[in-house]
Amino acid sequence: MPLHVPPAPAPALRSVLAALGSPMAVREARTPALRSVQGPLSAELPLPVHVMDQIVPSGSAPYTRLAGWRFLIRSGERAVAAADSVLTPDGWTFSHFFEGPYLDSTQQALRQAESMGPHFQPRLLSVPELYMLTLWLHGDPQADAATGTPQPSDVLVPLAPAPPGIAAHRPRQVADLLPVLTLRLTPTPLLDSPAA
């Protein structure tokens, strides 16, 4: 089934395209693959990046905020890097290029999502408290991609590398995964010290 990839704000895309067209920005990028590519590059598959600032106890809707837009940078048929654009007081601005395990993992999760039945709107959800990034498959493909919180029936696909105890690329509904995330952050009680 097709994913409903939301359109990125035009200024966010323009900021990334301007960076791609800047030899200085590409040369200074810490992405060897991007610097070594011959031929044209394109910015594709924009995904809104939301951040879950605090994991809340199960039963409550998690609070998320839009942190930026991520674009896959392609050379021909292969993604060689990604680029982020962030909102500043002056508008959307290019942030940085990068590569690494999340690039391949995002592509793998998107391929998984395309075979998962109902239509979804893909987003990325970062959980900084766990150093975790997931593909968030929002159940309302027509929703405003810049707003919203994960709904219990939405699907999260943890990207590799995932935190210990959470399987990468195993799609789970928010209602099932959120309690696991909450448990991962619950401090372990200290054992009472023996009486003297």
Side-chain angles (χ1 to χ4, degrees), residues 17 22 68 87 182:
L17 292 175
S22 165
L87 188 59
T182 304

Side-chain angles (χ1 to χ4, degrees), residues 101-112 116 133 135 156-162 166-172:
Y102 285 135
L103 180 63
D104 292 333
S105 189
T106 299
Q107 293 178 93
Q108 180 181 341
L110 286 165
R111 285 190 299 273
Q112 278 182 275
M116 288 179 56
L133 186 64
L135 179 65
L156 297 177
V157 182
L159 301 182
I166 297 173
H169 295 286
R170 180 177 170 222
R172 295 178 72 177

Side-chain angles (χ1 to χ4, degrees), residues 15-125:
S15 74
V16 168
L17 292 175
L20 274 177
S22 165
M24 178 75 89
V26 172
R27 189 171 45 250
E28 290 182 3
R30 293 187 177 138
T31 51
L34 186 62
R35 289 193 310 263
S36 65
V37 165
Q38 300 295 317
L41 297 168
S42 61
E44 299 177 4
L45 199 65
L47 295 172
V49 181
H50 292 259
V51 174
M52 187 184 299
D53 285 318
Q54 184 176 5
I55 298 174
V56 294
S58 57
S60 303
Y63 172 75
T64 61
R65 63 180 169 80
L66 180 67
W69 282 81
R70 180 163 297 165
F71 300 82
L72 293 183
I73 306 302
R74 290 196 181 275
S75 171
E77 291 297 313
R78 103 187 150 93
V80 294
D84 279 0
S85 180
V86 296
L87 188 59
T88 68
D90 295 326
W92 288 98
T93 303
F94 168 74
S95 174
H96 63 284
F97 293 115
F98 64 94
E99 58 185 67
Y102 285 135
L103 180 63
D104 292 333
S105 189
T106 299
Q107 293 178 93
Q108 180 181 341
L110 286 165
R111 285 190 299 273
Q112 278 182 275
E114 288 175 346
S115 66
M116 288 179 56
H119 298 290
F120 290 108
Q121 181 190 83
R123 305 171 175 195
L124 291 173
L125 180 64

